[in-house]
């Protein structure tokens, strides 16, 4: 249930957040896409842990291609 709500929250953000904020991500895929993949792959706790750590890393001089680890 929490995982489903989390995925819905991220999808809501991707749809309605201002474009100015969404286009600032320095990584590929974007931080929200990374969080979606992590939530689907690892579940609620580890998915959010990976997603929030990714958002924390998303500042200069960091950037580049970065995907969640495999199980």
């Amino acid at each position: 249930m929490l995982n489903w709500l989390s995925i819905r929250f991220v999808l809501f953000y991707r749809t309605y957040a201002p474009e100015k904020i969404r286009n600032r991500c320095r990584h590929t895929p974007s931080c929200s896409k990374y969080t979606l993949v992590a939530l689907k792959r690892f579940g609620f706790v580890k998915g959010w842990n990976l997603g929030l750590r990714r958002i924390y890393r998303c500042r200069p001089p960091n950037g580049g291609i970065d995907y969640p680890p495999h199980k």
Side-chain angles (χ1 to χ4, degrees):
M1 180 69 173
L2 286 175
N3 199 38
W4 180 82
L5 286 173
S6 296
I7 291 170
R8 286 293 187 192
F9 173 75
V10 174
L11 290 173
F12 178 83
Y13 165 80
R14 289 174 57 95
T15 303
Y16 295 106
E19 190 172 326
K20 184 186 242 185
I21 294 172
R22 288 181 292 147
N23 291 335
R24 293 178 67 182
C25 192
R26 299 175 171 273
H27 293 280
T28 301
S30 68
C31 293
S32 58
K33 178 67 175 175
Y34 180 97
T35 303
L36 278 176
V37 171
L39 285 168
K40 289 177 182 177
R41 193 175 289 173
F42 297 107
F44 180 77
V45 174
K46 188 167 182 182
W48 273 115
N49 184 16
L50 290 169
L52 292 173
R53 285 177 35 203
R54 166 68 178 276
I55 291 168
Y56 179 74
R57 288 193 315 263
C58 194
R59 58 189 171 166
N62 300 324
I65 298 174
D66 181 28
Y67 288 93
H70 295 286
K71 281 189 174 180

